[in-house]
Every structure is written in C-alpha cells, then in structure tokens.
Amino acid sequence: MYCFRCGTKVDENTMYCPHCGANIKEEQERYSYPPIKKQENIDKKRINATHQEQYDYSLKYSYGDKEELIKEYVGKEYNKIKNTKFSIPTFLFGPFYFLYRKLYTIGLLWLLLIIIFSWIFPTILFFISLILATTFTYIYLSVVTKKVEKIKKENKNLDKDTIKQRCKTKGGVNYIIPIILIILVCSIIITSTYILIPNYIEPKPSKKDTTDSIKNISYTIPKGFTKSKYESENYKSYSYTKDDKYCNIGIEAYDYKSLYKDAEEYIKANVYVSAEDTINPIDKITLNNTTWIHMSTENEYQTKDIYAKKEGNTFYKIETRNTKYQPSCTEEYQKILNSITEREQ
C-alpha cells in the first residue's frame, strides 16, 4: 500500500509514514479512497489503487503544504514579511498596521495602551513599539499558522484548492477598520487639542488698549494688561506685572432678580472680609457719569476697593487690589473705571 499523504510505499502494518510522518490509518479513514475503473464486459469494480493514483488523489484532497496555505493567507507580501527582521510599518504605524494585517486583538490592546498612557509614559510606549516591530514577523506568522490550522480542521472534507481559497478569503489585509480608527483618533486628538491646549498656553500682555465687555457694560483695558484664560460669561479678570508692580482687577455680572433690593445690600453680602480687615464707610462714586456704590477694606498687607451697581436684575461688581509693599496700581485701575460705559440694549 501507499501513504495517502505523500504516495510513499509502506508496509500494511505501518502506523506512520517514514517519509512524511502521516498517520496511515487516519489518512485512510479521511479519504476512504475507492478508485473505480471500467473493465471490458464488467460493470464498475473496485480495485486496489496504484501508487500514482494514490499520489494524485493525495495531491488533490490532502491538506497540502502548510507553508503554501500560509502564503495564501498572508498574500503577495508573504516572502517579504517572512524575511523581515524589523517591521518598519509596525514601528511607524503601530497598532494600525496590526489591524491592517487583521491582528485585531493585539492591535486594539496596543491602541488602548497608547490612548491611556501616551501622556504619562511615552518612553515605555516607544520601547513597546521597538519590541513589537522586532517581533512582528514571529507574532504574525504564529497567529496565521494557528488560523490556517483552524481552517484546515473546519474544512477537512474539502479539496486542497478550496482550502487554499478559504485561506485567501480569510486572510489578506483589512483597510476599513484602520481607516475608521485613524479618523476617529484624529477627531479625538483635534477635539482634545481644541479644548485642552488653550489651558496650557499662557496668555500674553496686550500690545495696545483693547475694548471688552460683560453683560451690558463695556470698558477699555490699557495695553500691558493680560486677560485671564479662566474667564466665563459672568466673570473676567485682568492682571498687570511690570517694574515691581502687580495689578489685578476683576469684573463680574450676575442676575439675582429680587435676592437683593439694591447694590449696597449686594456689596455687603458678596465681599469677603477677614477679622484683620478694616472696613471703611460705604459711599457713592461716579464712574464716567454713572453712579456706583463703593466700599473699601484694608489690612497690613493690602487695600481692596469694591464697586457695585444694579441694572435691572443684574448686579455688577468691580474689585481692585493694591499691595502695600509694592507700587500702587491706582492710576491703571482708574483708566479702566473711567472707561466704563453702558451699552445700548
């Protein structure tokens, strides 16, 4: 008899083929080869297969050479990948190249690590990239080999050409998932940059006088002042640092409806005063032809001036500080206060 896998002649009691190592009994059961021939004046009759017939049958219905199936699975770049010691696409494109090669589990885990740790441990991620680029060929071909074995087992009753086609269909590359993820990641990066970067960029002093507003009042901020990046619809602040002088002015506007009856009640309720502060009498002051309530406090370190005004349900408050051991900012503050105007509604 002959080995159904490779066609080598073997003894009847041989368990394994001495040439290819195939299990003779399993191969016989798998193929159940019943060669049929026509003889003159005789109906179809089963006869023992010749060596050539068994060999031809083996070529058609055996699993075929494993490397041949792996090559079908990988595609036209098989030889290049097989001989690659350092995968440049892996190093450059990271998890996206793994996803492109249908290594979904590793690719997604790697992408998740990058998202979580890129800002904290970038050096570690760099070394991971080096390691995966170096071991890509081994990882990829190991996974492909397992997938090919699975395809062979699931299609053991099919001929070699069909199995090769199944390997080719299951393998190859995937363009869609990497492209979708690249677009998604780029969108996240752009959105995060738009939201987060401004918080890390320190604003610079203005080079000229600028007009700003809050609610229904507008005012002019002199050049040299820096607008705080932590502003809101209801609060804005500006600082000035030059020649040992530090100035800071805050302007806020809130709608309190009937919570406070007038600006004086509002200013008393919304000014923090410590036990060390001395409170000066509340008075009225005119700022650019508009009347404001004024209150000032002082201690051994600083003086603080607060101006308040009610307009409809909106209460406006302006707060300035002068540190006693630094030059006074009164002149700078006064320029802003004198520029306040009510906008037409």
Side-chain angles (χ1 to χ4, degrees):
M1 65 177 295
Y2 301 93
C3 172
F4 276 58
R5 176 68 67 84
C6 67
T8 301
K9 187 174 182 179
V10 294
D11 294 331
E12 289 289 337
N13 297 325
T14 301
M15 294 182 64
Y16 297 97
C17 175
H19 178 71
C20 68
N23 187 310
I24 301 300
K25 184 178 180 180
E26 288 184 0
E27 291 296 316
Q28 285 178 323
E29 291 175 353
R30 195 172 85 82
Y31 298 129
S32 299
Y33 182 74
I36 298 174
K37 286 187 175 182
K38 289 184 179 180
Q39 293 184 354
E40 188 176 354
N41 300 323
I42 302 177
D43 293 332
K44 292 181 179 180
K45 181 179 179 181
R46 300 181 185 278
I47 62 173
N48 292 330
T50 65
H51 173 254
Q52 187 62 43
E53 286 176 321
Q54 284 188 328
Y55 184 71
D56 292 341
Y57 185 87
S58 176
L59 283 179
K60 183 177 180 181
Y61 290 100
S62 69
Y63 292 147
D65 181 63
K66 183 186 294 185
E67 186 174 10
E68 185 179 4
L69 297 180
I70 292 173
K71 187 175 181 180
E72 289 291 331
Y73 190 101
V74 174
K76 61 183 179 180
E77 294 188 353
Y78 170 72
N79 291 327
K80 181 179 178 181
I81 291 175
K82 180 182 177 182
N83 298 315
T84 297
K85 294 183 179 179
F86 183 86
S87 174
I88 295 177
T90 299
F91 184 72
L92 294 179
F93 302 106
F96 299 109
Y97 185 66
F98 271 62
L99 296 171
Y100 169 76
R101 281 288 163 189
K102 295 188 176 182
L103 298 172
Y104 298 124
T105 302
I106 302 175
L108 290 174
L109 286 175
W110 190 3
L111 184 60
L112 183 63
L113 287 175
I114 291 175
I115 293 173
I116 296 175
F117 298 111
S118 59
W119 298 98
I120 308 173
F121 306 112
T123 305
I124 295 178
L125 293 175
F126 174 76
F127 282 110
I128 291 176
S129 298
L130 285 177
I131 294 171
L132 290 176
T134 305
T135 59
F136 170 77
T137 299
Y138 171 77
I139 294 172
Y140 180 53
L141 293 182
S142 296
V143 172
V144 169
T145 300
K146 292 180 180 179
K147 290 184 179 295
V148 166
E149 290 291 344
K150 183 178 179 181
I151 293 172
K152 286 162 56 178
K153 290 180 180 179
E154 292 175 348
N155 302 276
K156 61 184 179 180
N157 295 321
L158 300 178
D159 62 86
K160 182 179 67 174
D161 291 336
T162 303
I163 294 177
K164 286 173 63 176
Q165 185 60 40
R166 294 283 173 91
C167 290
K168 185 176 181 179
T169 303
K170 291 284 186 179
V173 296
N174 187 326
Y175 294 93
I176 298 176
I177 293 181
I179 290 174
I180 292 175
L181 286 176
I182 287 173
I183 294 173
L184 180 62
V185 170
C186 289
S187 300
I188 294 173
I189 292 174
I190 292 172
T191 303
S192 301
T193 301
Y194 178 79
I195 295 173
L196 299 176
I197 290 300
N199 294 328
Y200 294 96
I201 299 176
E202 291 299 327
K204 296 181 180 180
S206 61
K207 296 181 179 180
K208 60 180 181 179
D209 295 354
T210 57
T211 300
D212 206 348
S213 63
I214 186 168
K215 292 291 186 179
N216 196 41
I217 66 171
S218 60
Y219 45 88
T220 300
I221 303 297
K223 67 178 181 179
F225 273 80
T226 301
K227 186 177 183 179
S228 173
K229 59 186 177 183
Y230 301 109
E231 67 173 31
S232 68
E233 180 184 358
N234 302 102
Y235 177 78
K236 296 183 179 181
S237 66
Y238 311 85
S239 60
Y240 178 91
T241 305
K242 189 177 181 181
D243 301 329
D244 295 328
K245 182 185 290 188
Y246 177 76
C247 312
N248 181 274
I249 182 171
I251 304 174
E252 62 182 50
Y254 289 96
D255 292 337
Y256 284 108
K257 296 183 179 180
S258 59
L259 185 60
Y260 306 105
K261 66 179 182 179
D262 54 32
E264 184 173 341
E265 184 177 339
Y266 167 72
I267 203 172
K268 288 179 179 178
N270 288 276
V271 174
Y272 172 76
V273 180
S274 67
E276 293 80 17
D277 289 339
T278 299
I279 304 174
N280 296 317
I282 295 177
D283 59 354
K284 294 183 179 181
I285 189 171
T286 301
L287 301 176
N288 200 11
N289 300 320
T290 305
T291 301
W292 291 67
I293 299 298
H294 170 249
M295 183 177 79
S296 63
T297 65
E298 60 180 300
N299 54 39
E300 61 177 313
Y301 303 107
Q302 67 175 6
T303 60
K304 183 166 61 175
D305 288 276
I306 303 95
Y307 307 85
K309 178 180 182 297
K310 181 182 179 184
E311 188 68 36
N313 290 326
T314 303
F315 289 87
Y316 297 94
K317 186 178 77 170
I318 302 173
E319 185 173 308
T320 64
R321 298 171 187 266
N322 273 308
T323 305
K324 290 187 176 181
Y325 53 81
Q326 289 180 331
S328 173
C329 296
T330 302
E331 182 179 351
E332 286 77 8
Y333 294 148
Q334 201 60 46
K335 288 181 181 179
I336 299 174
L337 295 171
N338 290 336
S339 70
I340 294 176
T341 57
E342 293 185 19
R343 296 187 297 171
E344 293 184 5
Q345 298 187 15

